Amino acid sequence: MIRIDVLTLFPEMFQSPLSHSILKRAQDSGIVSIVLTNIRDFATDAYKKVDDKPYGGGPGMVMMPGPVFDCFEHVEKLSPEKGRVILLTPQGQKFDQAKAADLSKEKRLILISGRYEGFDERIRIGLDAEQISIGDYVLSGGELAAMVIIDAVVRLLAGALGDQDSPKDDTFSEGLLEYPQYTRPEVFRGMKVPDVLLSGDHAKIDRWRRQQALERTKKQRPDLLKNPEPRKTACL
Ligand code: ADE
């Protein structure tokens, strides 16, 4: 069982992704517990203010440290497990499958989603938080990034997917893109399923898939082949 706490100004944004498919099943079966806490509940003034203008000037607003610290200290006490504290920010280290596998080994994650121009730097320093970005683009807030991380982590937990072998062949799990997949019908609009997949010869199928995965990776993502060590990130 992993516990994932999320500190956010928009807990409602999480409702739909968390109540469908794998994430829903994983929660229902006790593989993961996801707890959302609204940072705004920890604002101290009558306007429930959580952001303010940046010192030194500049556009936009910055998340104030007070409400985030108070929210964090409240959330921290909800479970004895200390947990890994993660700030979602485009300044963070880039999230990938290896990071998902790493996080899936933890007992507790505490994800903090920001809004506006970013966090007051004392939040990162004071909470000794790791920073993660889901890619080199700027989102309107950390919520979607937190959901991406939750989804990628939870599907790696034992029992989260129907078929235990599924994550093993995933794109990236061996450092390669996934091989092409086909299902019925055998011929669709003149396009035929490759004969090898109908041959029943599993050694031959494995060789074909490996070859296809390599070719695809070479063409689409040659950068992945620069890493000589295949990364083992399959299901725990
Ligand atoms: N918040 C805004 N943009 C983000 C990104 N790319 N990754 C994580 N959090 C973010």
Side-chain angles (χ1 to χ4, degrees), residues 88-90 114 132-142 145:
L88 284 321
T89 156
I132 296 184
S133 161
I134 61 160
D136 292 341
Y137 40 79
V138 179
L139 302 166
S140 319

Side-chain angles (χ1 to χ4, degrees), residues 13 79 86 106-107 113 120 128 177 185 210-211 213 222 227:
M13 283 181 72
S79 160
I86 295 165
E106 299 287 338
K107 292 208 160 55
S113 309
D120 182 304
D128 193 20
L177 302 183
R210 175 96 194 149
Q211 185 58 31
N227 178 3

Side-chain angles (χ1 to χ4, degrees), residues 6-14 36-40 71 111-115 143:
V6 187
L7 282 61
T8 169
L9 289 168
F10 297 102
E12 319 77 44
M13 283 181 72
F14 291 80
L36 304 164
T37 305
N38 195 335
I39 298 169
R40 202 174 293 280
C71 181
L111 306 180
I112 308 176
S113 309
R115 280 266 145 182
E143 287 77 16

